[in-house]
Amino acid sequence: MSSRDSSRSASGIDKLDFDDNRQPPSTTDGSDPGGLLRDDESLLSNVVDGVIERDRRKLRRRFVKYLSFASAILSCLCAGSITAYSLYGPLFQSRLHFTQAQVNAVSIAAELAMYLPVPLFGYLCDRFNPRPLSLLAGILFALGYLLAAAAYASGPLKEGGFPPAIMVLAFVGVGSGTSCMYLSAVTTCAKNFGRGKHKGLALAIPIASFGLSGMWQSQIGSRLLYERSSGHYGEVDVYRYFIFLAILLLVVGVIGSLALRVVDEEELIDEAVSELERSGLLENSPFFQRSILHDSDNGYGYGTLECSDIRSNLAESDDAELDSTNRKYRSYSEGARRKTWLLNTETRMFLFDPTMWFLAAGFFLVTGPGEAFINNLGTVLNTFYPPPLSGPPDSNSPATHVSIVALTSTFARLLTGTLSDLFAPTAQTSLFEEQSTKRFSCSRLVFLLISTVLFSFGQLLLASGLIQSHPSLFALVSALVGLGYGAVFSLTPIIVSVVWGVQNFGTNWGIVAVVPAAGAAVWGAIYAAVYDGAAGGADDSGADRLCYGVGCYAPTFWGMVACSWMAVGLWLLAWRGWRRKEILV
């Protein structure tokens, strides 16, 4: 045996000692250093290619995320056209001979159409994606403003013009378009950036842009699209202004339908399910029990021998391809069912949380008066200038104060969003996010309460009658109301995303955002009743329906002051509930 072994070693290892499929050695002694190098190079090349492809995917996701953010800002910069209602609302009264109640009916219809469908639009954003809503918004805006332009051009009803109901119908389309465009943009930002450390700013910027839209659009109306016959700025050409808005918002809606995308939504769902699993809420879940049983029955459980045997016996390539297709379909179907179950569970938890109702009630008590002030800003200004004065000067015009409200509101939204990111307490919100500590922290509720107090001070100045004798100080009222209103509208959705998460943000925020509709309707009706009551009797011409003096508005704004302080009390109750649950807001 030793002689046979020595003969083998002398002649080298023959290729017959290995399997038949092995390639013969390239050298006589069986060594192939070049082959080893080629294998190493191939492995290194595969690793490098994988890293490059991973970086490309990451860069692509980042590009899509920030492109969506830019598109959301553009949508919000244009969507708030209804906030410039005070620019042309008084012209409905003077040119179309609408009563104050009819002027308010148009604005209330727009407010109701803007807020009431929000839960439905939020539901569609969460279950599907925001892009179809952006396209729908552009169509609704175009139809609404074109109909409003035709109604205004037809003149007063006595001269053969359209009835006020047509204008109401037109602004229903405008209000619905506002809701669609705003919610699709904000929901996209919340889901793309809600897990980062700059979630407040990522929401504050589009929300602030929404407030800016009324400012720049009112300036275009009063500075570029004004009536040439008037000889001065301030009298907007309502017909051309409505045509301009119809074209602009249709284009923006189409852009949003192409650019708004939610990135890595599957990760949001996975993290939310993991958090619910840690909390123990999945143990008695019928959905997940059925899911486990279904997977076991079909051979898709973890480590089952039968599943491996079935897959190993697929000899035909067509069968393997069919099986792969079926697995992909089952995976997609299971993911869709899990997403639906999760969002429904999150909605139930949100609705049955008492602190949500405290938050929503306070939001109702603040935003209703704010909406009523913005919508009736022009008629309030006119009460300061009784005959023989011709009306407010250009320096105190409705367009000027719409811009003041927009600027201060925008400043408050950006400021509160930034401060909440810098100073608000943070906690672990997912399995992959570490808890961070700050030397100084201040709850978002502190900013919310301070903003509400400032908001009430603006209403108090108006209710006291001080502005009636000093109309130039009305800018202070507009600034205080804008600061409070903007901060409340910025902080409330941020608080919703912090307390209840972003995976169901569209639906949750949509539910809360309904309440301003009721607030706007209530306070718009109260203001109109007080105004018309102080104006006294009137004939059909509507000329003597104009009201002058503090009695036209003071009772309304005293009530608004009381509502603001009631909101402070309700938010303190909500804060106490969150502290008991150890939720850092």
Side-chain angles (χ1 to χ4, degrees):
M1 181 177 293
S2 60
S3 61
R4 184 171 53 187
D5 293 340
S6 61
S7 64
R8 283 190 178 182
S9 61
S11 61
I13 300 175
D14 190 80
K15 66 179 180 180
L16 296 177
D17 293 330
F18 295 89
D19 61 271
D20 294 337
N21 295 324
R22 184 174 178 84
Q23 296 295 328
S26 58
T27 61
T28 58
D29 60 356
S31 62
D32 189 9
L36 293 176
L37 290 176
R38 283 194 298 272
D39 290 343
D40 291 341
E41 291 176 357
S42 177
L43 177 62
L44 180 60
S45 176
N46 291 336
V47 172
V48 171
D49 290 343
V51 172
I52 293 175
E53 182 61 26
R54 182 195 63 188
D55 291 342
R56 285 177 179 173
R57 288 197 300 266
K58 185 183 297 185
L59 183 62
R60 191 181 303 115
R61 288 197 299 268
R62 183 172 296 180
F63 174 77
V64 171
K65 180 182 292 187
Y66 284 99
L67 178 63
S68 298
F69 186 65
S71 177
I73 293 175
L74 175 64
S75 296
C76 288
L77 272 173
C78 300
S81 60
I82 190 63
T83 58
Y85 184 79
S86 296
L87 179 66
Y88 48 83
L91 296 179
F92 290 170
Q93 196 173 25
S94 59
R95 304 289 178 82
L96 301 182
H97 299 167
F98 284 11
T99 65
Q100 182 61 46
Q102 290 170 335
V103 173
N104 276 66
V106 175
S107 65
I108 289 172
E111 300 286 348
L112 291 174
M114 182 168 61
Y115 290 115
L116 289 182
V118 171
L120 174 61
F121 295 150
Y123 178 91
L124 295 176
C125 273
D126 288 333
R127 269 62 178 181
F128 302 100
N129 63 75
R131 286 178 290 161
L133 263 69
S134 181
L135 180 60
L136 176 62
I139 295 173
L140 290 172
F141 270 128
L143 294 177
Y145 276 120
L146 289 176
L147 181 59
Y152 185 85
S154 68
L157 180 61
K158 282 193 170 184
E159 299 176 9
F162 292 173
I166 299 299
M167 190 67 76
V168 170
L169 178 62
F171 274 82
V172 168
V174 171
S176 299
T178 303
S179 175
C180 275
M181 188 169 287
Y182 167 81
L183 195 61
S184 62
V186 173
T187 301
T188 301
C189 294
K191 293 193 174 187
N192 282 340
F193 299 95
R195 293 175 295 170
K197 59 182 179 180
H198 300 301
K199 66 180 70 175
L201 190 60
L203 278 176
I205 290 177
I207 293 173
S209 301
F210 183 80
L212 276 177
S213 57
M215 182 200 72
W216 73 265
Q217 289 171 5
S218 65
Q219 291 301 316
I220 285 182
S222 60
R223 303 292 177 180
L224 297 178
L225 301 176
Y226 61 92
E227 294 177 343
R228 308 298 180 184
S229 59
S230 62
H232 61 86
Y233 294 136
E235 296 293 340
V236 61
D237 187 332
V238 179
Y239 176 78
R240 291 198 299 153
Y241 182 64
F242 285 167
I243 296 296
F244 162 74
L245 291 177
I247 297 173
L248 171 71
L249 292 165
L250 178 60
V251 172
V252 172
V254 172
I255 293 174
S257 69
L258 300 175
L260 292 176
R261 294 177 182 271
V262 178
V263 180
D264 295 332
E265 187 176 14
E266 295 80 6
E267 293 184 9
L268 285 176
I269 301 300
D270 291 340
E271 291 185 15
V273 171
S274 298
E275 291 176 9
L276 289 176
E277 187 176 9
R278 285 189 303 160
S279 66
L281 295 177
L282 300 187
E283 295 179 356
N284 298 322
S285 168
F287 169 79
F288 278 91
Q289 294 295 332
R290 288 197 306 269
S291 178
I292 294 173
L293 292 174
H294 178 270
D295 290 344
S296 300
D297 293 341
N298 289 278
Y300 291 97
Y302 288 107
T304 56
L305 181 61
E306 293 79 7
C307 182
S308 301
D309 292 341
I310 292 174
R311 291 197 182 99
S312 64
N313 291 331
L314 293 174
E316 299 294 334
S317 60
D318 293 341
D319 294 341
E321 183 178 355
L322 180 61
D323 184 71
S324 175
T325 303
N326 290 337
R327 285 200 303 272
K328 290 179 180 179
Y329 175 77
R330 282 192 291 267
S331 176
Y332 174 81
S333 178
E334 181 67 18
R337 290 197 303 128
R338 182 175 61 167
K339 176 181 177 180
T340 301
W341 174 88
L342 173 68
L343 297 181
N344 291 339
T345 301
E346 295 278 356
T347 303
R348 285 194 298 270
M349 294 171 60
F350 182 74
L351 289 174
F352 285 97
D353 191 339
T355 59
M356 184 278 290
W357 295 104
F358 292 141
L359 179 68
F363 194 56
F364 164 82
L365 292 172
V366 173
T367 55
E371 297 280 356
F373 174 83
I374 294 172
N375 290 337
N376 295 285
L377 186 151
T379 54
V380 172
L381 273 172
N382 288 332
T383 63
F384 303 151
Y385 301 95
L389 298 176
S390 59
D394 290 342
S395 60
N396 211 27
S397 65
T400 299
H401 289 281
V402 168
S403 299
I404 291 174
V405 171
L407 284 173
T408 53
S409 174
T410 300
F411 173 76
R413 296 176 199 216
L414 293 175
L415 180 65
T416 53
T418 303
L419 292 179
S420 68
D421 283 340
L422 292 176
F423 300 112
T426 58
Q428 182 177 350
T429 57
S430 70
L431 294 174
F432 312 102
E433 183 176 344
E434 296 181 357
Q435 184 172 357
S436 61
T437 58
K438 299 178 180 179
R439 294 181 180 179
F440 172 77
S441 64
C442 182
S443 173
R444 294 176 176 88
L445 265 296
V446 174
F447 300 124
L448 184 63
L449 298 176
I450 292 174
S451 303
T452 306
V453 172
L454 292 176
F455 180 77
S456 69
F457 284 168
Q459 298 163 331
L460 183 62
L461 286 175
L462 199 56
S464 65
L466 177 65
I467 309 301
Q468 186 67 37
S469 54
H470 302 86
S472 60
L473 295 178
F474 191 73
L476 179 59
V477 176
S478 298
L480 289 172
V481 171
L483 285 172
Y485 181 81
V488 169
F489 252 102
S490 175
L491 288 168
T492 305
I494 294 174
I495 291 172
V496 169
S497 69
V498 169
V499 177
W500 293 282
V502 299
Q503 59 276 358
N504 202 39
F505 175 82
T507 304
N508 293 346
W509 172 232
I511 293 171
V512 176
V514 167
V515 299
V522 169
W523 285 105
I526 291 174
Y527 176 82
V530 171
Y531 183 98
D532 287 338
D539 55 25
D540 294 336
S541 66
D544 58 346
R545 283 190 181 274
L546 301 179
C547 182
Y548 303 98
V550 69
C552 303
Y553 55 83
T556 302
F557 285 94
W558 278 119
M560 292 180 179
V561 172
C563 282
S564 299
W565 284 94
M566 289 172 62
V568 169
L570 290 170
W571 285 334
L572 287 173
L573 290 175
W575 192 8
R576 185 176 67 176
W578 293 327
R579 294 179 66 179
R580 287 179 177 176
K581 298 178 182 178
E582 298 182 352
I583 298 175
L584 300 178
V585 181

